[in-house]
């Protein structure tokens, strides 16, 4: 009988517990912490009042709970406890942020990229391929080495201690022959002020990095890791930071896959098991899971950025402003040219590689029309496509722009190789129609003599303003051709709504008086849709109802 009498109470306890559990699962991390801290406070308060009350409630919903006995009064918190709870909640919110790096992931970044804040003094080694099949034909080893030095100088307080060009068969295998490696090792160790080595290739395999770091006892960088250092140094907006964090993922994942294939077992010795949450993982499995979780969060945040960009892009389309994407090799003068066309003094171009990491839109007035100029991230040679794919969101605006303006630095000694690199990338991104409609300008012509200027493309100088008037004319012609706009002359009556409508929906070039003084001749640039709407609204041949 006693057990039967307890059944209703136990049943109520089960129902209440299930409700509590479902409520708990629906809470966020921050809310759970506040609940836990609140529970600890209640328990402490109960212990302090044990002398007054000698019983404890059987169930959490019991009305005999001494803490809740006074109706309408909730246990208070002191300021100290409130600050602790808020700090814990903020830490949980940080963990939910896609850019937040856990201690374990920071260790991964340190191992792969050497993000330690050290201002390195670098030895640059350029492995020049000697065989004709793989040898670059439009540049020289000296020019490639010069660009490698420019990459290092883009980082504040980094310096080049020494450089070395060494001929190799290919960038595969271990790159250097046994004698070459010994020569380089002696050279590196002879410099006491060298803190790292930069091997000027696009990306080193993990066995190559392990061998070189083991021989030189110094951090080893390739172009991929050095460019990421530059990106992290100058990224200021959240979008740029998200894209850089995403660009790190393929590099780390490639390293893990090479370890899994046995290329690095003899170096790390980390093929042991890791126990996490009661489960047994290998080192590779744990790292793969860590990288996959971070990639999932980063892509989720970047998708939100893409949606925001889509809204802004749709607003520009609704306003019917033509767009011009300004593209080119890094440090070719894109931002300087945009500043010259817009006369925007707030723009501050910098003479270094990758000065622009975010896509920015600027309004400019050409000779007869307003346009939007889109500044984009600069290209660079010998960079794996996975690095540029992470910046695909910034290139979307260039892909759908009405006109693409390719800016070349004609004063650079390696401009032909730079031009080939940009055209090769654009050929994979743009349609054939946009490539044919692309305008090419040769910038920095003020640094050249007349004999050195090129007949291929329009020669300009964004600094002196030379050739900019001709550029504006060509841009307008290209926009009219690509957007379906037309030059039309309308005869409209004086005093009607025609003129105000044309000002609002087209670009008015000129207005002259008609023969009898009762009309205007209005020359405009108008798109097909607006032209059809004008005829529908103001045609004198419309049937009257």
């Amino acid at each position: 009988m006693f057990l039967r009498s307890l059944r209703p109470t136990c049943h109520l306890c089960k129902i209440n517990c299930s409700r509590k559990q479902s409520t708990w699962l629906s809470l966020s991390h921050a809310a759970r912490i506040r609940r836990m801290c609140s529970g600890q406070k209640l328990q402490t308060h109960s212990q302090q009042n044990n002398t007054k009350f000698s019983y404890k409630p059987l169930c959490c919903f019991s009305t005999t709970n001494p803490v809740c006995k006074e109706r309408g009064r909730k246990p208070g918190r002191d300021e100290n406890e409130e600050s602790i709870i808020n700090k814990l909640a903020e830490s949980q919110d940080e963990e939910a942020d896609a850019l937040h790096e856990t201690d374990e992931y920071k260790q991964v970044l340190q191992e792969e990229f050497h993000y330690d804040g050290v201002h390195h003094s670098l030895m640059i080694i350029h492995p020049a391929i000697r065989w004709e099949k793989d040898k670059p034909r439009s540049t020289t080893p000296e020019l490639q080495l010069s660009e490698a030095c420019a990459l290092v100088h883009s980082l504040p307080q980094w310096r080049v201690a020494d450089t070395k060009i060494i001929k190799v068969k290919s960038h595969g295998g271990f790159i250097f022959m046994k004698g070459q490696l010994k020569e380089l090792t002696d050279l590196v160790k002879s410099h006491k002020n060298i803190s790292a080595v930069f091997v000027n290739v696009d990306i080193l395999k993990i066995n190559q990095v392990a061998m070189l770091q083991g021989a030189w006892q110094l951090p080893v960088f390739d172009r991929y890791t050095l460019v990421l250092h530059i990106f992290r140094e100058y990224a200021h907006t959240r979008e740029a930071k998200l894209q850089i964090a995403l660009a790190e993922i393929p590099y780390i994942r490639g390293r893990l896959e090479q370890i899994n294939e046995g290329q690095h077992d003899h170096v790390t010795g980390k093929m042991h098991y890791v126990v996490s949450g009661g489960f047994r993982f290998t080192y590779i499995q744990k790292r793969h899971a860590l990288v996959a979780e971070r990639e999932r969060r980063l892509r989720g945040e970047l998708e939100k950025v893409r949606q925001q960009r889509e809204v802004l892009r749709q607003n520009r389309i609704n306003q019917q402003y033509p767009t011009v994407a300004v593209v080119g090799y890094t440090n070719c003068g894109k931002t300087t040219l945009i500043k010259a066309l817009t006369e925007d003094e707030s723009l501050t171009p910098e003479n270094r590689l990758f000065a622009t990491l975010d896509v920015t839109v600027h309004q400019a007035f050409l000779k007869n029309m307003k346009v939007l100029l889109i500044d984009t991230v600069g290209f660079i040679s010998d960079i794996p496509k996975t690095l540029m794919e992470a910046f695909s969101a910034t290139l979307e605006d260039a892909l759908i722009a009405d006109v693409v303006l390719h800016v070349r630095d004609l004063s650079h000694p390696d401009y032909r190789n730079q031009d080939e690199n940009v055209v090769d990338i654009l050929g994979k991104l743009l349609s054939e129609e946009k490539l044919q409609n692309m305008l090419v300008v040769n910038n920095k012509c003020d640094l050249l003599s007349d004999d050195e200027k090129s007949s291929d493309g329009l020669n300009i100088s964004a600094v002196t303003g030379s050739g900019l008037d001709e550029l504006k004319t060509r841009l307008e012609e290209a926009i009219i051709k690509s957007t379906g706009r037309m030059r039309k002359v309308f005869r409209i009556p004086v005093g009607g709504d025609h003129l105000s409508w044309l000002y609002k929906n087209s670009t008015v070039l000129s207005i002259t008086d008609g023969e009898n003084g009762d009309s205007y001749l209005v020359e405009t640039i108008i798109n097909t849709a607006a032209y059809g709407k004008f005829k529908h609204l103001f045609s004198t041949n419309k049937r009257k109802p």
Side-chain angles (χ1 to χ4, degrees):
M1 293 294 292
F2 176 73
L3 292 176
R4 286 181 182 178
S5 64
L6 287 178
R7 282 179 185 175
T9 304
C10 294
H11 180 65
L12 288 173
C13 288
K14 288 179 181 179
I15 293 174
N16 187 68
C17 289
S18 63
R19 288 176 181 172
K20 292 284 184 181
Q21 184 178 10
S22 62
T23 304
W24 175 262
L25 294 174
S26 64
L27 294 175
S28 63
H29 288 293
R32 289 183 185 181
I33 286 178
R34 291 190 178 94
R35 284 286 185 93
M36 291 168 62
C37 293
S38 177
Q40 290 173 1
K41 179 68 178 180
L42 291 177
Q43 186 178 0
T44 306
H45 192 83
S46 176
Q47 289 173 356
Q48 291 173 354
N49 290 276
N50 258 349
T51 55
K52 186 176 180 181
F53 300 96
S54 59
Y55 58 86
K56 292 183 180 179
L58 293 174
C59 305
C60 57
F61 64 85
S62 174
T63 57
T64 58
N65 190 334
V67 179
C68 304
K69 196 170 183 179
E70 296 181 19
R71 293 183 179 181
R73 186 179 68 85
K74 295 182 179 179
R77 296 192 184 113
D78 55 21
E79 295 181 2
N80 231 352
E81 185 183 3
E82 285 286 354
S83 63
I84 293 172
I85 293 173
N86 290 331
K87 285 180 182 178
L88 287 170
E90 288 172 6
S91 68
Q92 289 294 327
D93 292 337
E94 285 179 4
E95 288 184 6
D97 184 9
L99 287 173
H100 176 71
E101 296 169 354
T102 63
D103 292 339
E104 189 175 2
Y105 194 78
K106 286 180 181 177
Q107 181 183 353
V108 175
L109 294 178
Q110 174 60 26
E111 290 175 4
E112 303 295 348
F113 302 103
H114 306 289
Y115 292 149
D116 46 18
V118 176
H119 302 138
H120 286 289
S121 176
L122 288 172
M123 168 82 177
I124 302 180
I125 300 173
H126 176 67
I129 299 176
R130 66 174 69 143
W131 302 111
E132 192 65 29
K133 181 181 177 182
D134 300 323
K135 182 180 178 181
R137 302 187 181 185
S138 58
T139 185
T140 64
E142 290 75 19
L143 291 174
Q144 290 176 301
L145 181 62
S146 175
E147 184 176 83
C149 294
L151 281 172
V152 174
H153 291 146
S154 297
L155 287 164
Q157 300 184 38
W158 285 45
R159 59 182 293 269
V160 178
D162 198 3
T163 61
K164 177 71 175 177
I165 297 175
I166 189 163
K167 293 185 177 181
V168 297
K169 292 182 178 180
S170 70
H171 292 165
F174 284 102
I175 302 182
F176 307 111
M177 304 295 288
K178 185 176 180 180
Q180 292 175 329
L181 181 61
K182 185 179 183 305
E183 177 189 352
L184 291 173
T185 302
D186 294 339
L187 180 62
V188 169
K189 291 185 176 180
S190 66
H191 290 274
K192 301 299 182 184
N193 60 335
I194 290 177
S195 60
V197 179
F198 172 30
V199 182
N200 190 31
V201 298
D202 55 351
I203 185 169
L204 292 168
K205 293 183 179 179
I206 195 168
N207 56 347
Q208 295 171 336
V209 173
M211 180 196 68
L212 297 177
Q213 289 187 159
W216 300 332
Q217 297 298 304
L218 292 173
V220 174
F221 297 96
D222 52 23
R223 288 174 75 90
Y224 198 118
T225 52
L226 196 69
V227 168
L228 280 178
H229 271 267
I230 297 172
F231 285 177
R232 282 177 70 102
E233 179 69 31
Y234 294 107
H236 300 297
T237 66
R238 179 174 176 80
E239 180 182 2
K241 292 177 182 179
L242 286 169
Q243 290 171 333
I244 293 165
L246 186 63
E248 295 165 349
I249 300 294
Y251 191 92
I252 299 171
R253 182 171 285 131
R255 291 292 190 260
L256 294 175
E257 289 173 357
Q258 291 170 21
I259 295 174
N260 204 29
E261 292 170 1
Q263 295 187 24
H264 196 42
D265 297 354
H266 61 286
V267 182
T268 61
K270 290 185 177 179
M271 295 300 290
H272 56 270
Y273 286 94
V274 179
V275 177
S276 178
F279 295 95
R280 194 160 167 257
F281 298 100
T282 64
Y283 168 82
I284 305 300
Q285 290 171 336
K286 188 71 185 298
R287 286 288 172 93
H288 267 301
L290 186 68
V291 170
E293 173 61 20
R294 182 166 176 82
E295 182 181 28
R296 181 189 65 79
R297 286 161 48 180
L298 289 172
R299 290 195 183 278
E301 287 295 315
L302 281 172
E303 178 59 24
K304 296 177 184 176
V305 172
R306 191 195 66 79
Q307 292 173 0
Q308 293 170 359
R309 281 194 170 278
E310 185 62 34
V311 172
L312 296 175
R313 194 179 298 126
Q314 194 60 45
N315 289 339
R316 294 199 295 267
I317 293 173
N318 294 338
Q319 294 174 358
Q320 298 183 352
Y321 282 138
T323 54
V324 178
V326 184
V327 303
Y329 207 81
T330 181
N331 202 31
C332 67
K334 298 185 296 297
T335 306
T336 307
L337 177 58
I338 291 174
K339 181 177 181 178
L341 291 174
T342 59
E343 300 180 358
D344 185 359
E345 294 300 326
S346 64
L347 290 175
T348 54
E350 298 180 58
N351 185 23
R352 63 172 175 82
L353 304 185
F354 297 112
T356 300
L357 291 179
D358 296 286
V359 171
T360 53
V361 181
H362 311 270
Q363 182 175 289
F365 188 79
L366 304 181
K367 289 194 171 181
N368 299 306
M369 68 171 68
K370 289 182 180 179
V371 299
L372 297 178
L373 303 177
I374 304 173
D375 198 0
T376 59
V377 179
F379 300 116
I380 193 169
S381 62
D382 296 328
I383 288 294
K385 64 178 183 179
T386 52
L387 180 55
M388 296 309 299
E389 283 174 356
F391 287 82
S392 59
T394 62
L395 296 175
E396 285 180 0
D397 291 295
L399 297 180
I400 64 171
D402 298 316
V403 175
V404 176
L405 179 63
H406 176 196
V407 182
R408 302 191 301 189
D409 179 5
L410 200 64
S411 67
H412 198 283
D414 202 19
Y415 88 92
R416 294 189 184 277
N417 181 54
Q418 294 180 355
D419 178 54
E420 289 180 7
N421 182 266
V422 174
V423 171
D424 181 59
I425 294 174
L426 292 178
K428 298 174 183 176
L429 297 175
L430 302 178
S431 63
E432 188 66 28
E433 182 181 357
K434 283 196 175 181
L435 284 173
Q436 292 178 355
N437 199 34
M438 182 172 66
L439 289 178
V440 179
V441 294
N442 301 317
N443 194 22
K444 304 185 183 181
C445 287
D446 55 307
L447 304 176
L448 303 172
S449 63
D450 292 338
D451 296 336
E452 294 174 314
K453 293 179 181 179
S454 174
S455 59
D456 179 21
L458 177 63
N459 296 315
I460 67 166
S461 171
V463 174
T464 64
S466 172
L468 292 187
D469 286 339
E470 179 64 21
L471 174 59
K472 291 178 181 180
T473 301
R474 293 194 185 185
L475 277 175
E476 286 189 354
E477 292 173 353
I479 289 169
I480 291 171
K481 180 180 177 181
S482 65
T483 59
R485 284 173 166 81
M486 305 170 288
R487 287 181 180 269
K488 288 288 183 180
V489 178
F490 297 96
R491 182 185 295 275
I492 61 174
V494 176
D497 297 332
H498 305 68
L499 187 58
S500 61
W501 191 95
L502 286 173
Y503 267 113
K504 185 176 180 180
N505 296 278
S506 68
T507 301
V508 177
L509 302 179
S510 64
I511 304 174
T512 57
D513 293 330
E515 296 177 356
N516 300 324
D518 58 349
S519 64
Y520 295 127
L521 293 178
V522 183
E523 185 183 1
T524 66
I525 296 176
I526 189 169
N527 60 40
T528 307
Y531 178 61
K533 192 172 183 180
F534 180 86
K535 290 198 300 182
H536 176 74
L537 291 174
F538 302 107
S539 175
T540 56
N541 297 327
K542 288 195 303 181
R543 292 182 180 180
K544 295 182 179 180

